[in-house]
Amino acid sequence: MLFKIASVAALVSSVAAHMAMNEPCPRFSPNCATQPQLPAGQSYNYNIKDPIAYDGPVFMSDVPWPQPVASWTAGQPVTVGFQADGAAHGGGHCQFAISYDNGKTAAIVHKVMEHCFFNGPSNGNSAEVLKYTFTLPADVPASSNAQFIWIWTNAVGGRELYTGISDITIANSGGSKSYTGKSAIYPNHAGYDTIPEFNGDYTTGVSLFDNAPNVVVSPGGSAVSPSVPEYTSSAVESTSVPPPVGHTPAPKPSAESIVESTVEPTVEVTATEPPASVEPTVPPTEPTTPATPVYTSSAPTAVPTGSACAHGALQCVNGNAGFQQCVWGVWSATFACASGTVCQQTSPNAVICGWP
């Protein structure tokens, strides 16, 4: 009897459920053609089609599969598939991203705006498109421990967020060490803008994706990089920072109020030496300290949120356990680096969270 009740409950859940990825198989999905053996202490997620809790983690699991579920190659076509029995809510915006730090930082490799799951405008719930094939960028670095991420913002219905995360390997014979792309964003989740129901205007919210910040992702550490001047897939740079997984970030300015910032501080010193045969008659004076601070590799002391700073700057804080970003003269709340990594200042306006 207990088995019958559980089976009925699962059937009802499936009928009322939404869209879910099944290729590459997301963590602990029971709905894939094949999947690895479950890790010890884990169980199949029969609620994988549910929306993400507004103030919870942006993924349903932070525990990886014990083996990768797909092997991809940079520069080659890859395919992402979805279950056929989900409610597609009129389509909406889909992001496809790569991460090397368990989803804490993710860079977009493909996106389908406006009509994801459909061939055009629709108010329907039955998806017309269940597979997307695209070319993985050629400069995505190789890794035996990468994550592929799908994020969906629905067009019709309650303002919700749907995600999936899969464990994959990536091969790259070109030796690329990092990939720069637009940051994945999570609309309708705590700390992010809410995209209203489209009501026939399928461009609703598109500007948020266009104005997402650039990120640099790498097996050696990933970071928001507002100083990167250009993203090769027509990306537009801004200066907001995505939250760590499972944390609620501080409120940020709206996308419309953010202006591109790509100016790097520079230091220029000109010195004139006397000819070798002429001795100076007075002791040389000390050079004047330039107004712009000179970058050093040591991490700066943590600056309280709200202190004055140069817009776009990034700094390591809390003993290199995390970092802050300056937004319009005010330091943000601290964003923690992934477990096992430390913040490393690579320039006055860029940091990475890498392995020590």
Side-chain angles (χ1 to χ4, degrees), residues 5-18:
I5 293 174
S7 298
V8 171
L11 178 61
V12 171
S13 174
S14 176
V15 170
H18 310 276

Side-chain angles (χ1 to χ4, degrees), residues 252-275:
K252 63 179 181 60
S254 66
E256 290 77 8
S257 69
I258 297 175
V259 179
E260 181 178 358
S261 175
T262 60
V263 178
E264 295 257 5
T266 59
V267 177
E268 183 175 342
V269 178
T270 302
T272 302
E273 295 186 4

